[in-house]
């Protein structure tokens, strides 16, 4: 839990013209609704969730079953173009150690990241699986994207 920073100008392009050009009083509500639809479309599980926006900053409240679900929701929302920070205030029913995070840089690939964090490039698939469904292919990562790096069990 806590405040997570993202690169506002990169990520999934989910906001349509209606969300970005709406009058200020409607913009936050439309963007929150689009983010909720995006989380639901990815099939990320939650018991309850509320998404609120303050400008380019997102606040998440609600309840999830475990730490991994919480982290995946934060990353799904944060890795959206136009989101600068995500304040994760969700309650986790079954706690576990928090993951580390890695912001992808130009020249990174999952095996290089696995070597850095785990000392073994062959463990790239662990990072890939930890970031599904946001990642659909281990070769499709981009600079500025934030990835979960969970502790090896």
């Amino acid at each position: 839990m806590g405040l997570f920073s993202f690169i506002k100008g990169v990520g999934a392009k989910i906001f349509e013209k209606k969300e970005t050009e709406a009058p200020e009083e409607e913009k936050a509500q439309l963007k929150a609704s689009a983010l909720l639809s995006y989380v639901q479309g990815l099939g990320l599980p939650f018991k309850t969730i509320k998404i609120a926006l303050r400008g380019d900053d997102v606040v998440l409240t609600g309840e999830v079953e475990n730490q991994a679900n919480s982290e995946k929701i934060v990353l799904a929302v944060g890795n959206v173009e136009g989101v600068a920070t995500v304040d994760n205030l969700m309650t986790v029913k079954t706690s576990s150690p928090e993951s580390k995070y890695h912001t992808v840089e130009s020249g990174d690939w999952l095996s290089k990241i696995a070597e850095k964090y785990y000392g073994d490039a062959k463990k790239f698939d662990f990072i890939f699986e930890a970031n599904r469904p946001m990642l659909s292919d281990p070769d499709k990562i981009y600079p500025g994207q934030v990835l979960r790096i969970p502790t090896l069990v």
Side-chain angles (χ1 to χ4, degrees), residues 1-4 66-68 70-71 74 88 90 92 94-101 118 148-152:
M1 293 204 299
L3 188 64
F4 297 85
N66 58 49
Q67 187 66 33
S70 173
E71 292 171 354
V74 168
N88 182 7
M90 292 185 291
V92 175
T94 306
S95 64
S96 61
E98 290 186 26
S99 296
K100 294 179 182 177
Y101 297 92
Y118 302 137
R148 290 179 63 231
I149 312 295
T151 303
L152 288 176

Side-chain angles (χ1 to χ4, degrees), residues 8-83:
K8 180 180 154 185
V10 300
K13 295 168 179 35
I14 69 161
F15 298 132
E16 298 177 15
K17 193 173 186 176
K18 66 181 180 183
E19 285 99 2
T20 58
E21 294 183 0
E24 287 302 316
E25 58 274 2
E26 292 177 42
K27 193 180 293 190
Q29 186 175 4
L30 289 170
K31 284 186 172 184
S33 179
L35 288 168
L36 177 59
S37 293
Y38 183 61
V39 168
Q40 291 170 324
L42 289 171
L44 295 171
F46 56 85
K47 289 186 177 199
T48 61
I49 192 168
K50 181 178 179 193
I51 300 175
L53 274 87
R54 289 181 249 151
D56 300 324
D57 303 318
V58 176
V59 178
L60 297 174
T61 55
E63 183 180 0
V64 294
E65 183 64 33
N66 58 49
Q67 187 66 33
N69 292 342
S70 173
E71 292 171 354
K72 286 182 178 189
I73 291 170
V74 168
L75 291 181
V77 170
N79 283 317
V80 167
E81 185 177 66
V83 174

